[in-house]
Amino acid sequence: MASSTNRGVDEALGTGPTLTVAKGANRVTFVNVWTTASAEDQRQLVEAMTAETSLLTSKPGFISMAFLRSTDGEQVVVLAQWASEEAFDAAITNDERAMAGRRRLEAHGKSSAHMHEVACVYG
């Protein structure tokens, strides 16, 4: 049984929230690839991210977010959808609490983050 700490991560495999990728959708997708030194760092990073999630989900413009763990224990990919870059900036970049949360996450890995729009979808 999933604990309340990692419930959101596990729910994505069942009937929990979904992340929709659609070209032309009224949203932007923030992709952050975290590199970790070990599977233990990866586990701790996902736990820390899960603990910080409530800071974001109630922000205006937030749509959805998913954490992907690599099977080799070396990466965590964050996919977060926002209504606009302005909503993202207001929620993250211009919010000291959110930036402090990001600094806490940096104890577990190194990130490379970019904003994306969907160019193509197949399948």
Side-chain angles (χ1 to χ4, degrees), residues 12 65 97:
M65 184 165 38
R97 281 185 62 205

Side-chain angles (χ1 to χ4, degrees), residues 2-82:
S3 73
S4 61
T5 303
N6 65 4
R7 186 172 165 206
V9 173
D10 294 334
E11 277 182 1
L13 299 175
T15 59
T18 61
L19 183 78
T20 302
V21 177
K23 185 176 180 180
N26 189 20
R27 64 189 70 172
V28 294
T29 303
F30 174 74
V31 179
N32 195 350
V33 179
W34 290 82
T35 303
T36 57
S38 68
E40 177 60 18
D41 283 338
Q42 182 193 54
R43 184 191 65 75
Q44 290 178 2
L45 178 59
V46 170
E47 284 184 7
M49 286 177 175
T50 301
E52 298 285 341
T53 300
S54 64
L55 290 174
L56 303 177
T57 57
S58 62
K59 300 277 185 157
F62 174 84
I63 297 171
S64 62
M65 184 165 38
F67 305 146
L68 307 164
R69 296 182 287 227
S70 66
T71 57
D72 61 10
E74 295 178 359
Q75 287 187 331
V76 174
V77 177
V78 177
L79 302 172
Q81 294 181 320
W82 292 85

Side-chain angles (χ1 to χ4, degrees), residues 62-119:
F62 174 84
I63 297 171
S64 62
M65 184 165 38
F67 305 146
L68 307 164
R69 296 182 287 227
S70 66
T71 57
D72 61 10
E74 295 178 359
Q75 287 187 331
V76 174
V77 177
V78 177
L79 302 172
Q81 294 181 320
W82 292 85
S84 66
E85 278 194 63
E86 294 78 19
F88 173 83
D89 286 341
I92 308 281
T93 308
N94 300 332
D95 184 295
E96 183 49 42
R97 281 185 62 205
M99 292 306 291
R102 179 184 167 88
R103 288 189 292 274
R104 285 190 292 276
L105 297 178
E106 290 172 347
H108 305 289
K110 182 180 177 190
S111 75
S112 175
H114 301 275
M115 193 63 70
H116 298 264
E117 62 182 28
V118 177

